[in-house]
Amino acid sequence: MATTLLVQSRFFNNSNYTPENAPLKQLNIPMTRNPGVETRSRSSNRTRLRKNPSKPSKTVIEPGTLTLTRALQSLVDSGSMDGAVSLFDKINCLDTYIWNVMIRGFTNNGLFREAVDFYRRMERGGFRADNFTYPFVIKACGGLLWSSGGEMVHAKLFKCGLDWDVYVCNSLIVMYMKVGCVECAERVFDEMPVRDLVSWNSMISGYHIVGDGMSSLMYFKEMQKHGMRHDRFSVISSLGASSSERCLKSGKEIHCQAIKSRLEMDVMVQTSLIDMYSKCGNVEYADRVFCRIFSRNVVAWNAMIGGYVLNAHFFESFTCLKKMQEDDKLSPDAITMINLLPSCAQLGALMEGKSIHGYAIRKGFLSHLVVETALVDMYGRCGELKMAECIFESMTEKNLVSWNAMIAAYTQNGQNKKALKLFQDLWSKSHEPLIPDAITFASVLPAYAEIATLGEGRQIHALISKLGLVSNTFISNSIVYMYAKCGDLHIARKLFDGILCKDVISWNVIIMAYAIHGLAKISIQLFNEMREKGVNPNGSTFVSLLSSCSISGMVDEGWDYFNSMRRDYGIEPGIEHYGCMIDLLGRGGNLDQAKHFIEEMSLLPTAKIWGSLLTASRKNNDIVSAEFAARHILSFEHDNTGCYVLLSNMYAEAGRWEDVERIKGLMEKEGLEKTVSCSVVEKNGKAHQFINQDSSPNKLHMIYTVSDILSRKIGEDIYVHTVTKFRPQNLLRKRSKSPPNHSVRLAISFGLISTNIGDPVLVRNNTRICEDCHNAAKKISEITQRELIVGDPKVFHHFRNGHCSCGDYW
DNA sequence: CAGGAATGTG
């Protein structure tokens, strides 16, 4: 029982599948695909071999008998190279044939280094390598990705006149393709006096290996023109090329050829067909081929399961797993899990994911680099960040994909600081230096957008340019959004204008950029421009657009777009659209309408929806509605700090001190602490951080002085707040917590004295700005005649001449 | 007296 992969039965409606009646153990677990295990066994072989390279033996076996070579061959064929080496050492009359057996043995067992070593020893010993030796030596060079070694051997071939041997040339083609030297392979192929089927197949598979599927398909056609009949290898390779080129048409053609040449019932051909049809998006055809397979093996099942996952048929992928275990009594292997884990991630099926994890542990599939990476990804997407971290840290070997998965797990779960930290570790702490790729940046840029300073944003932008990844539209979109979120809307726009291939996301991002800066008119303008350019809006476009209307208080326009999305574009409103609408209604001050709207919604309200109602209640000073919203939020997220704090502030303003205490008690019980407000200002590219009533460094004295002067200048009496907002008996204690000492104010003061007169002051804040600071900032912008830009987690406030771009609703 | 090249699922 313990060896069977349990998948919880909740996916299978009328299933009686339980752990108890699950198929029993199948013990043949192929481990050969486990790179970790393979490497280790190889290296242990290597060390053992090196310890006793050629131990002189007393028992000298007389040559001349066939039995000796036969024995050596059977050792080599069974993979016991240790035994072969010790037998070899006892032979005192060597010949080329015996050397060839050894070299073949090493190469076929993946011991390429040893194969090359033996080849060298052979030559030094005065034995002539022949046409049988070279194919193995060349294959070993290919296996080591050692192109210069391969070239040296190639040069030798001319001397001994073996450069025309078909077998040798075919090996050369494969070797050159493997090391990526397409031109060399082509030259060998072109200059061959005689080409056989393997020569053609090697070209077809070689082009597929280097990622040139089109050439691969071309050679498949070309070989028929040359009167060369294809075999299963030609079909398998060219089907692989069709898959990687997503070319259903050529795939179908090859399928027809395979039927004509009676290859369609070959399991490997069928598996390749399943893969091709799935990758070309036609999972129905894949299923049809699968049903025709006579005897299905794990590879075929895996291809089918992978096909379902690739085409987002997640439930079917699990049904398939169940059938594989029950009908064919086959055990899932590492690849089955690698296929299924993304399915769990997509379905949010944490139980199934954990079950796969447990199975992997029991079967000894850990550590398997790809399985572990898939687990990190799955746990990250299911919100189990701790588990993702735990697996990532335990991994003995990590590649770039693993790092990318962990970085993405952090950003997806809002752990932006950790994401940035890990991204930096990628340079310093990864085993061999890893160069981040497009996926890395796609994963880390959202974290930069949330918490980076403009200077840090510029740095990452420079790095991306240096690595030549700016032409990637996906990355460009993220950069545009990052600049907008870091406060530089102008650069964001400039970069957006420069994107050559704008996709719908590019437009969504720029509409959102103007939204968060409170410029809904431009958002709408861009939306119209997008439609004129023939780009079809999607659901996210309307999230951007509705957000823009709600942030800028354009209630009527918001309603128009909300109604239009279904009517004119056939897009059903999702939960995010409803959220925007509640913000919009709250902004209009109509709380009852907002509540009614939530009731009427076709979707179940989430914590975020109630959060919008809470914000609206706060803005409209409606404690009853706020309590109503808060109750719902806390039923989803009992640890929602923001919800407690907001409610507590409302009670405090109403003078309901018992309730303030009650909330305080609740928070203590939950072990929650109020988020420390933190504001960041940059000076000469260096970030300066401030927290409420910051008292750390001495230089702050001057900033407090500036803050006090500003406070008095704008006619703000610090005692006024304390009297109206806080309990009289706590007046002295609360004085230090009064708004003039809030982090935003310190940051603004610092910004004003450390930037050039006339330049705007940019502040980033991790919490929403309070009403007093908002009022103060408006006045400060007026008396100093400076633009103050304060970004909070949702919007940017542009304070200019005593007004704020948010229209006093945020 | 013998031995050689190419292949499907992440």
Side-chain angles (χ1 to χ4, degrees):
Chain A
M1 218 276 317
T3 53
T4 304
L5 174 49
L6 303 185
V7 168
Q8 305 298 308
S9 47
R10 78 174 149 105
F11 283 158
F12 313 115
N13 298 343
N14 55 354
S15 167
N16 54 3
Y17 182 81
T18 63
E20 283 73 34
N21 68 16
L24 292 188
K25 56 171 89 178
Q26 287 90 26
L27 286 169
N28 292 326
I29 307 305
M31 291 292 291
T32 48
R33 291 285 172 169
N34 182 335
V37 172
E38 212 170 57
T39 345
R40 242 172 278 131
S41 70
R42 269 182 220 169
S43 59
S44 67
N45 266 341
R46 197 177 307 158
T47 44
R48 258 178 285 158
L49 288 167
R50 283 209 179 126
K51 267 181 200 161
N52 270 332
S54 51
K55 198 171 128 195
S57 169
K58 280 179 189 168
T59 48
V60 173
I61 298 168
E62 283 305 314
T65 45
L66 247 176
T67 35
L68 197 60
T69 0
R70 285 259 164 80
L72 195 65
Q73 265 166 356
S74 69
L75 282 168
V76 160
D77 290 337
S78 66
S80 28
M81 287 310 293
D82 280 356
V85 169
S86 56
L87 182 58
F88 177 84
D89 289 340
K90 287 175 189 149
I91 301 171
N92 66 352
C93 184
L94 296 166
D95 62 6
T96 300
Y97 185 84
I98 292 172
W99 280 102
N100 286 351
V101 172
M102 289 306 286
I103 295 170
R104 168 169 69 100
F106 286 125
T107 300
N108 287 349
N109 287 292
L111 299 159
F112 304 124
R113 267 263 95 84
E114 287 75 9
V116 174
D117 282 349
F118 260 66
Y119 164 67
R120 286 201 183 120
R121 273 177 62 185
M122 174 186 184
E123 287 208 310
R124 256 184 278 129
F127 295 93
R128 262 185 84 133
D130 62 8
N131 53 327
F132 290 101
T133 321
Y134 283 110
F136 297 119
V137 178
I138 293 165
K139 189 180 174 183
C141 293
L144 292 166
L145 298 177
W146 185 34
S147 53
S148 55
E151 279 163 23
M152 282 189 303
V153 175
H154 191 176
K156 269 218 167 104
L157 296 171
F158 295 105
K159 281 188 209 156
C160 53
L162 285 171
D163 54 307
W164 51 264
D165 185 278
V166 186
Y167 282 82
V168 172
C169 289
N170 290 345
S171 325
L172 280 172
I173 292 172
V174 177
M175 183 272 296
Y176 278 127
M177 285 297 202
K178 212 170 211 166
V179 300
C181 184
V182 184
E183 295 81 14
C184 301
E186 279 168 349
R187 201 161 51 227
V188 173
F189 182 81
D190 290 342
E191 287 170 6
M192 280 171 83
V194 183
R195 288 183 274 265
D196 67 359
L197 179 59
V198 179
S199 319
W200 284 96
N201 286 351
S202 301
M203 288 305 279
I204 296 169
S205 77
Y207 278 118
H208 175 47
I209 289 169
V210 297
D212 184 357
M214 286 323 280
S215 299
S216 177
L217 293 169
M218 221 180 71
Y219 269 75
F220 181 76
K221 279 195 183 143
E222 198 69 19
M223 77 184 278
Q224 340 263 342
K225 278 191 211 155
H226 280 73
M228 185 65 75
R229 271 189 67 82
H230 62 256
D231 68 351
R232 56 205 294 265
F233 294 109
S234 341
V235 170
I236 291 165
S237 296
S238 51
L239 282 174
S242 307
S243 318
S244 55
E245 292 296 318
R246 304 283 124 91
C247 184
L248 184 62
K249 194 167 161 277
S250 72
K252 279 182 174 171
E253 274 171 30
I254 295 160
H255 190 176
C256 288
Q257 306 251 35
I259 293 169
K260 273 187 217 154
S261 50
R262 299 169 186 277
L263 287 167
E264 49 141 3
M265 288 312 282
D266 179 305
V267 195
M268 277 195 181
V269 170
Q270 286 168 313
T271 308
S272 301
L273 281 167
I274 293 168
D275 186 53
M276 181 274 295
Y277 281 124
S278 314
K279 292 215 172 103
C280 293
N282 203 326
V283 77
E284 289 78 21
Y285 282 14
D287 187 58
R288 226 179 284 172
V289 174
F290 183 72
C291 291
R292 288 176 54 84
I293 302 182
F294 224 66
S295 151
R296 292 171 199 129
N297 58 23
V298 183
V299 182
W301 280 101
N302 285 348
M304 196 61 240
I305 292 173
Y308 280 128
V309 176
L310 198 68
N311 289 280
H313 293 241
F314 304 116
F315 290 98
E316 285 87 342
S317 70
F318 280 102
T319 320
C320 205
L321 166 74
K322 192 182 146 218
K323 279 198 203 140
M324 163 183 178
Q325 294 181 103
E326 290 182 350
D327 301 356
D328 282 3
K329 307 279 180 257
L330 285 171
S331 287
D333 66 1
I335 300 207
T336 321
M337 277 163 253
I338 293 163
N339 279 329
L340 282 169
L341 283 167
S343 236
C344 302
Q346 290 296 319
L347 292 167
L350 186 58
M351 285 302 287
E352 287 70 18
K354 281 185 175 170
S355 146
I356 291 175
H357 185 186
Y359 180 84
I361 293 170
R362 289 198 298 277
K363 288 281 199 168
F365 288 149
L366 302 180
S367 53
H368 182 304
L369 175 68
V370 185
V371 173
E372 286 168 314
T373 303
L375 282 168
V376 169
D377 179 72
M378 182 275 296
Y379 279 123
R381 284 180 205 270
C382 291
E384 287 276 313
L385 200 55
K386 283 256 159 60
M387 282 304 287
E389 253 175 346
C390 180
I391 292 168
F392 182 74
E393 275 157 23
S394 76
M395 287 171 75
T396 47
E397 199 195 342
K398 295 174 186 132
N399 62 13
L400 186 61
V401 184
S402 333
W403 284 82
N404 289 350
M406 193 62 229
I407 293 171
Y410 281 133
T411 33
Q412 281 156 10
N413 289 282
Q415 295 290 331
N416 298 311
K417 272 190 188 158
K418 287 189 172 176
L420 295 193
K421 173 76 175 48
L422 197 64
F423 175 68
Q424 279 144 19
D425 287 351
L426 180 61
W427 300 92
S428 51
K429 290 198 184 153
S430 61
H431 217 57
E432 49 197 282
L434 294 170
I435 308 297
D437 65 358
I439 309 285
T440 319
F441 290 111
S443 306
V444 80
L445 276 168
Y448 269 87
E450 288 313 316
I451 60 166
T453 61
L454 199 50
E456 289 165 332
R458 288 194 191 111
Q459 280 177 27
I460 190 104
H461 183 196
L463 179 60
I464 293 167
S465 309
K466 210 170 131 192
L467 292 171
L469 296 168
V470 271
S471 54
N472 179 327
T473 302
F474 198 102
I475 302 292
S476 302
N477 294 342
S478 299
I479 296 174
V480 169
Y481 186 67
M482 178 196 71
Y483 272 114
K485 281 288 270 184
C486 288
D488 198 332
L489 188 57
H490 295 288
I491 296 290
R493 179 58 188 262
K494 229 178 108 185
L495 292 173
F496 167 80
D497 289 337
I499 298 177
L500 292 173
C501 312
K502 295 185 185 69
D503 59 10
V504 63
I505 299 168
S506 316
W507 290 95
N508 295 352
V509 160
I510 196 71
I511 293 171
M512 193 53 136
Y514 281 100
I516 60 179
H517 285 273
L519 294 161
K521 286 208 174 100
I522 304 181
S523 288
I524 291 168
Q525 216 176 300
L526 283 159
F527 176 68
N528 293 332
E529 207 177 304
M530 159 187 187
R531 285 185 305 172
E532 282 161 21
K533 295 242 159 74
V535 181
N536 273 332
N538 63 15
S540 302
T541 316
F542 284 96
V543 174
S544 296
L545 207 50
L546 294 174
S547 300
S548 204
C549 293
S550 106
I551 291 167
S552 297
M554 296 168 70
V555 180
D556 296 336
E557 289 84 349
W559 272 112
D560 286 345
Y561 286 120
F562 183 74
N563 292 326
S564 148
M565 61 185 279
R566 185 189 287 153
R567 187 188 59 220
D568 303 329
Y569 300 93
I571 298 168
E572 279 300 310
I575 199 75
E576 277 173 307
H577 303 107
Y578 286 115
C580 295
M581 290 314 286
I582 293 154
D583 285 335
L584 197 74
L585 289 168
R587 174 143 202 157
N590 201 331
L591 283 182
D592 289 329
Q593 206 186 341
K595 272 186 260 184
H596 188 69
F597 191 80
I598 295 177
E599 281 166 20
E600 296 286 297
M601 237 162 64
S602 55
L603 296 166
L604 281 176
T606 57
K608 265 203 167 153
I609 294 284
W610 296 113
S612 293
L613 183 68
L614 183 63
T615 311
S617 311
R618 155 124 184 131
K619 278 288 153 191
N620 293 289
N621 268 323
D622 184 335
I623 291 196
V624 180
S625 292
E627 285 171 333
F628 175 73
R631 259 199 303 280
H632 280 102
I633 294 172
L634 296 175
S635 74
F636 290 106
E637 302 169 350
H638 56 88
D639 57 350
N640 190 318
T641 312
C643 176
Y644 286 111
V645 172
L646 199 145
L647 208 55
S648 166
N649 287 346
M650 284 182 83
Y651 286 136
E653 277 167 32
R656 288 168 58 173
W657 305 113
E658 316 78 52
D659 290 312
V660 174
E661 285 300 325
R662 186 169 55 84
I663 301 281
K664 208 175 140 193
L666 283 171
M667 283 183 72
E668 274 168 17
K669 218 174 102 194
E670 290 278 350
L672 301 175
E673 271 175 45
K674 198 173 159 179
T675 313
V676 180
S677 234
C678 175
S679 307
V680 181
V681 167
E682 253 182 316
K683 183 192 175 186
N684 302 331
K686 195 174 174 290
H688 294 262
Q689 234 181 47
F690 298 90
I691 56 172
N692 281 358
Q693 57 173 123
D694 211 322
S695 61
S696 33
N698 300 333
K699 60 164 187 182
L700 278 174
H701 180 71
M702 189 163 74
I703 296 161
Y704 273 103
T705 312
V706 175
S707 182
D708 277 351
I709 294 169
L710 287 171
S711 213
R712 252 173 280 139
K713 273 249 186 192
I714 60 175
E716 189 179 46
D717 183 348
I718 46 177
Y719 292 99
V720 171
H721 304 284
T722 50
V723 171
T724 54
K725 291 206 167 170
F726 299 99
R727 264 173 287 194
Q729 65 264 37
N730 282 344
L731 194 130
L732 279 176
R733 189 160 62 82
K734 294 284 179 190
R735 185 245 178 256
S736 62
K737 287 189 179 176
S738 68
N741 294 328
H742 282 176
S743 61
V744 192
R745 303 285 277 276
L746 302 178
I748 290 175
S749 305
F750 178 77
L752 283 169
I753 56 172
S754 57
T755 48
N756 292 329
I757 290 173
D759 284 354
V761 172
L762 178 62
V763 176
R764 260 199 114 167
N765 228 30
N766 68 335
T767 53
R768 299 287 193 96
I769 184 169
C770 81
E771 199 154 352
D772 290 318
C773 290
H774 195 268
N775 280 332
K778 286 199 285 186
K779 287 180 192 152
I780 293 170
S781 75
E782 191 171 22
I783 60 154
T784 59
Q785 280 300 298
R786 299 279 294 268
E787 184 183 5
L788 310 175
I789 306 168
V790 180
D792 73 20
K794 199 180 166 196
V795 302
F796 275 87
H797 302 264
H798 289 251
F799 298 100
R800 224 171 296 164
N801 291 323
H803 296 282
C804 179
S805 58
C806 76
D808 299 337
Y809 187 99
W810 67 97

